[in-house]
Amino acid sequence: DTEVTQTPKHLVMGMTNKKSLKCEQHMGHRAMYWYKQKAKKPPELMFVYSYEKLSINESVPSRFSPECPNSSLLNLHLHALQPEDSALYLCASSHIAGGPGELFFGEGSRLTVL
Amino acid sequence: KQEVTQIPAALSVPEGENLVLNCSFTDSAIYNLQWFRQDPGKGLTSLLLIQSSQREQTSGRLNASLDKSSGRSTLYIAASQPGDSATYLCAVPSGGGADGLTFGKGTHLIIQP
């Protein structure tokens, strides 16, 4: 089972709202990632969790707050977003075995900020 | 800092043709290289992973090669079909461990029926 599940698939929110994106994997992977992808651009790394601890934060604004409750779950909490934050948010996971393993991505959450 | 370049940016060919997508990277000290496919508005599907010790990897009509010393990889698609139409992305690890991937900008492929 090589599946990463993201919910919701679509989210529309106002600039004063608080919402969350959720990601789940059951492949036993110990690294999980959040990427942001704008239209016609490649994915850009936001956060990396390794063994449930935040290991990389690519200078993402504090209005994005990641959380890793356990090894299977990764959340991205959203608050006071701007219209330019509208994008496809992708979650991924991989093994860690000396070096980076194969990354598996979810279908993404399409976020629109009004 | 690792940089990944993909050529061509877009490609449109008739069905049945064999084609080659190119990827180059600036830092040859990579652990592996991964090719993905992305359909419009969808997530990324992993196609092939080539370890740094491998020269090529095959899956069905897809064959990926890796020349680590020259910083290049190619994705060969045999007997192309309209269902192959998608954006193909090449990516290499940004560093060691779990540092995420650096992506190229992709090749937008259209296979004409």
Side-chain angles (χ1 to χ4, degrees):
Chain A
D1 182 10
T2 56
E3 188 173 284
V4 177
T5 304
Q6 291 188 242
T7 56
K9 289 187 173 15
H10 300 275
L11 179 62
V12 179
M13 60 186 292
M15 289 189 285
T16 59
N17 292 158
K18 284 186 180 181
K19 297 286 185 183
S20 297
L21 306 180
K22 298 184 184 300
C23 175
E24 187 170 9
Q25 58 89 13
H26 293 289
M27 295 178 278
H29 291 168
R30 301 308 296 271
M32 296 187 76
Y33 311 80
W34 280 115
Y35 282 83
K36 174 183 178 178
Q37 187 178 27
K38 301 283 277 184
K40 300 189 186 303
K41 300 287 188 182
E44 296 178 347
L45 184 65
M46 299 176 72
F47 303 104
V48 180
Y49 272 83
S50 177
Y51 295 99
E52 295 94 70
K53 294 193 186 310
L54 183 64
S55 62
I56 292 179
N57 176 342
E58 291 286 359
S59 302
V60 177
S62 60
R63 57 186 184 266
F64 295 91
S65 176
E67 177 196 20
C68 190
N70 59 55
S71 60
S72 300
L73 293 173
L74 184 65
N75 299 322
L76 186 62
H77 302 299
L78 315 170
H79 175 54
L81 295 192
Q82 304 296 311
E84 59 264 29
D85 296 322
S86 298
L88 182 67
Y89 288 84
L90 295 162
C91 174
S93 69
S94 73
H95 280 300
I96 307 170
E102 186 174 5
L103 257 71
F104 295 92
F105 281 82
E107 285 292 315
S109 293
R110 172 72 60 189
L111 174 65
T112 302
V113 182
L114 301 176
Chain B
K1 180 184 173 184
Q2 180 74 270
E3 293 183 4
V4 180
T5 302
Q6 291 188 245
I7 295 173
L11 183 62
S12 181
V13 300
E15 179 178 8
E17 285 201 5
N18 303 322
L19 48 97
V20 175
L21 309 182
N22 297 291
C23 171
S24 62
F25 44 94
T26 53
D27 184 350
S28 62
I30 59 169
Y31 192 77
N32 54 38
L33 182 145
Q34 201 166 348
W35 282 94
F36 294 91
R37 167 188 173 137
Q38 187 172 31
D39 294 293
K42 300 291 187 180
L44 278 67
T45 300
S46 179
L47 297 174
L48 290 164
L49 175 76
I50 311 179
Q51 299 293 348
S52 60
S53 58
Q54 296 177 311
R55 297 283 295 181
E56 64 179 55
Q57 192 70 258
T58 298
S59 176
R61 294 183 294 108
L62 304 179
N63 177 279
S65 68
L66 175 63
D67 185 343
K68 189 178 163 185
S69 61
S70 67
R72 294 181 182 181
S73 176
T74 61
L75 180 66
Y76 176 83
I77 303 177
S80 59
Q81 302 171 358
D84 295 330
S85 298
T87 296
Y88 291 81
L89 294 153
C90 165
V92 295
S94 304
D99 286 353
L101 298 176
T102 298
F103 286 85
K105 293 184 178 181
T107 293
H108 180 54
L109 177 64
I110 297 175
I111 307 299
Q112 306 154 11

